[in-house]
Amino acid sequence: MSRESRMRATINQKLTEMGERERLKEILRARLTECGWKDQMKAHCKEVIKEKGLEHVTVDDLVVEITPKGRALVPDSVKKDLLHRIRGFLAQHAT
Amino acid sequence: MTGYQSYYLAVKTSNRDFQMKMEDMPLSGPDNTRLEALAHDIYSELVEDACLGLCFEVHRAVKQGYFFLDETDQESMKEFEIVDQPGVDIFGQVYNQWKNKECECPNCKRLIAASRFAPHLEKCLGMGRNSSRIANRRLASSNNMSKSESDQEDNDDLNDNDWSYGAEKKTKKRKSDKSQNSPRRSKSLKHKNGELGSGVGAESYKYNYNTGISYETLGPDEVRSLLTTQCGVISEHTKKMCTRSQRCPQHTDEQRRAVRLFLLGPSAPTLPDADAVETDSFDIPDAQPLMSRLQWEDSDISPTDSASSKASTNHSDSRKPKKKKKPSLPLNSGGGGSGSGSLAGGGGGSSSQSNISISTKKKRPKLSAPPISSIYDDLA
């Protein structure tokens, strides 16, 4: 396990150092915006805010409400694309 | 994003703790599964990043007060709904409403179709690209009908080197003139080259096939006025008078003089041109005659035609190199001098009649008859 976690740590480190993480983040964000995921989530946010009241909504409120739904609503194509890229990176850089 | 990154990290670690617990399963599978799991983990991380980013964005917008800016009340929303009816665009406007309408032109008070209104205004107000050219051309052709006056200036600077028949040349020049002026005109004049007779009566608006004027149809006054402004030499082939300028290179001054003698009788020789050969040896005895001749030429030639006069005088300049004596020439020196010599020698003319006829047309403020007539006697 520690080997495992060490490997993970190494991979994560590499991911960050090489800028691959940032790149992947940007790609993901762009994909989500263009597929409408972001607008969907914003609409959901509006409901939450209307529910909780504009003045008193906190970040935590939003996070708790939004994150599970967000994870679920990611379209399959986007997911597949991202996994593909990650796997490619791993194939290249994992020992 | 960097602004709230620390908060983000704090939130993230709490999430990750949750994740780590899930990961505490025994991973005895081959590397592939582990890698696959790793890939999924990385993916989840990225998705959560995105979600959190969105949350922070929304939260900030809420707290700053611009989150709900894009929403309006239902009533206003209804106003701007997309319209989907036939005959109407999506804003609800009728888009071919003005196709069949007519507008009254403020200038000429005519009713013009809407789609033709703008081009019509251009022409009507004289502000478009082609409007001045068309207007000039119309003036030229209408003048041709009555006086054939505007022709001579145009003729001077073109076709100086072509020594073909006058008729052909004139139609050729006019055809190229017209097609240069207005891109829409594409008629070819070639088949009209041989048209005779109705030179003056040609349609004034379109191409003027006027190859010359038949002297038989003109009265003596008209003949005289014509001869003072134009070459007037009668072509053997067509029996028409040449309508080019006094200095037209196709005909010599001798011919012009002969024509005048023939048409007007020996009593009124109004030959404006002095013979080229004779004036070669002409030395200006005093300033006054030449000055007055120059002034005659100066007023004679309108500004737009100064180019043409220069061109033709340059042409004759080559034949008369000795005439560049006048220091205070208002025009280009050599050309002006010699040109004026040839022009004004006759313009001065011995007959007062010709003086009057010329002065009615062109302004000649200072021309005095006696000194010039002496010059003319010199030439004769």
Side-chain angles (χ1 to χ4, degrees):
Chain A
M1 296 220 195
S2 64
R3 207 174 9 134
E4 172 85 21
S5 44
R6 241 185 300 139
M7 186 194 68
R8 279 171 172 260
T10 322
I11 294 279
N12 279 328
Q13 195 181 359
K14 267 198 191 157
L15 209 56
T16 311
E17 276 171 1
M18 294 175 64
E20 191 64 22
R21 178 168 271 149
E22 284 301 319
R23 266 194 293 271
L24 289 170
K25 258 198 227 174
E26 284 310 309
I27 292 172
L28 179 62
R29 226 162 259 166
R31 288 291 163 82
L32 289 175
T33 313
E34 68 185 27
C35 76
W37 174 92
K38 194 172 176 185
D39 300 321
Q40 265 181 305
M41 299 312 296
K42 263 199 177 168
H44 188 58
C45 286
K46 274 187 197 165
E47 293 167 22
V48 170
I49 292 167
K50 279 177 188 157
E51 214 184 307
K52 304 267 173 161
L54 192 64
E55 297 293 321
H56 304 294
V57 70
T58 62
V59 185
D60 286 329
D61 285 339
L62 286 173
V63 169
V64 162
E65 298 284 334
I66 296 299
T67 311
K69 194 163 186 213
R71 263 193 249 130
L73 278 181
V74 174
D76 273 341
S77 54
V78 176
K79 182 172 182 179
K80 282 203 177 105
D81 182 35
L82 226 63
L83 278 173
H84 178 72
R85 286 177 199 260
I86 295 170
R87 276 186 218 123
F89 179 81
L90 288 177
Q92 266 190 311
H93 294 99
T95 50
Chain B
M1 209 34 187
T2 54
Y4 38 76
Q5 200 125 33
S6 54
Y7 196 171
Y8 157 70
L9 281 171
V11 175
K12 188 178 172 185
T13 42
S14 60
N15 284 343
R16 189 184 291 249
D17 286 343
F18 176 62
Q19 254 185 356
M20 281 306 219
K21 282 177 189 152
M22 276 188 54
E23 291 298 317
D24 266 347
M25 300 187 305
L27 292 163
S28 57
D31 275 346
N32 272 352
T33 20
R34 266 184 278 159
L35 279 180
E36 189 65 26
L38 182 55
H40 275 273
D41 280 345
I42 296 175
Y43 164 77
S44 308
E45 230 181 87
L46 290 171
V47 169
E48 270 172 37
D49 255 356
C51 293
L52 279 171
L54 180 71
C55 288
F56 290 131
E57 209 180 294
V58 168
H59 182 260
R60 183 163 203 272
V62 166
K63 292 303 174 185
Q64 295 283 332
Y66 60 83
F67 185 63
F68 285 109
L69 278 181
D70 53 351
E71 280 176 7
T72 48
D73 55 326
Q74 275 303 100
E75 250 178 43
S76 328
M77 294 281 269
K78 279 235 164 66
E79 274 181 68
F80 301 109
E81 262 177 42
I82 293 179
V83 176
D84 191 14
Q85 297 165 15
V88 149
D89 64 11
I90 64 171
F91 296 114
Q93 299 165 354
V94 186
Y95 56 89
N96 55 359
Q97 192 180 11
W98 310 106
K99 236 194 236 181
N100 306 324
K101 298 248 161 140
E102 287 186 337
C103 329
E104 187 202 340
C105 170
N107 212 28
C108 63
K109 310 291 180 209
R110 286 198 290 172
L111 283 175
I112 313 285
S115 55
R116 297 298 309 159
F117 191 54
H120 163 78
L121 261 188
E122 255 193 335
K123 306 278 187 305
C124 200
L125 294 172
M127 288 199 312
R129 243 183 358 144
N130 283 336
S131 58
S132 62
R133 276 183 258 166
I134 292 180
N136 283 341
R137 193 154 42 81
R138 284 207 194 132
L139 277 177
S141 36
S142 72
N143 270 346
N144 249 338
M145 285 246 290
S146 49
K147 287 183 204 171
S148 311
E149 209 180 346
S150 57
D151 227 23
Q152 43 185 324
E153 279 85 36
D154 291 359
N155 277 326
D156 278 350
D157 49 349
L158 295 174
N159 296 332
D160 253 357
N161 301 323
D162 298 348
W163 286 78
S164 56
Y165 293 130
E168 255 176 42
K169 208 192 296 186
K170 200 155 304 179
T171 46
K172 249 194 235 159
K173 175 238 128 191
R174 211 156 308 159
K175 178 175 77 154
S176 67
D177 200 11
K178 300 307 197 289
S179 56
Q180 283 161 13
N181 272 354
S182 145
R184 279 208 299 181
R185 310 254 182 191
S186 57
K187 275 195 196 171
S188 113
L189 278 185
K190 287 196 180 131
H191 64 286
K192 302 263 186 178
N193 225 353
E195 180 171 313
L196 306 174
S198 61
V200 180
E203 193 185 342
S204 61
Y205 257 54
K206 306 234 172 165
Y207 306 98
N208 204 337
Y209 320 122
N210 192 4
T211 58
I213 298 174
S214 177
Y215 60 90
E216 293 149 4
T217 61
L218 300 174
D221 282 336
E222 289 173 347
V223 168
R224 212 171 292 127
S225 62
L226 265 170
L227 283 178
T228 50
T229 55
Q230 293 166 30
C231 173
V233 172
I234 296 174
S235 163
E236 284 174 14
H237 321 277
T238 66
K239 303 291 180 233
K240 290 222 186 126
M241 297 163 62
C242 172
T243 55
R244 303 186 87 199
S245 83
Q246 299 277 1
R247 297 186 297 273
C248 104
Q250 284 175 27
H251 305 117
T252 64
D253 293 331
E254 191 64 55
Q255 286 175 302
R256 285 188 265 272
R257 206 177 300 153
V259 157
R260 274 153 186 79
L261 274 174
F262 170 65
L263 286 177
L264 303 169
S267 60
T270 57
L271 179 65
D273 267 336
D275 201 345
V277 179
E278 286 182 7
T279 54
D280 252 343
S281 55
F282 176 67
D283 278 335
I284 301 162
D286 61 69
Q288 177 57 22
L290 188 54
M291 183 60 127
S292 46
R293 265 188 278 136
L294 285 173
Q295 271 150 2
W296 180 70
E297 171 167 289
D298 201 0
S299 55
D300 182 8
I301 298 171
S302 59
T304 56
D305 304 324
S306 58
S308 64
S309 72
K310 276 178 196 167
S312 62
T313 51
N314 281 338
H315 183 70
S316 53
D317 196 16
S318 57
R319 290 183 280 152
K320 296 178 230 176
K322 289 184 196 170
K323 293 214 66 183
K324 297 184 187 178
K325 286 208 183 163
K326 187 62 193 164
S328 61
L329 278 179
L331 304 172
N332 54 335
S333 52
S338 52
S340 67
S342 60
L343 256 185
S350 51
S351 75
S352 54
Q353 210 175 19
S354 67
N355 279 353
I356 292 169
S357 61
I358 290 175
S359 55
T360 50
K361 285 187 199 141
K362 335 260 181 182
K363 292 164 259 174
R364 280 178 34 182
K366 293 186 193 173
L367 185 59
S368 51
I372 291 188
S373 54
S374 66
I375 299 300
Y376 188 69
D377 292 341
D378 239 3
L379 298 173

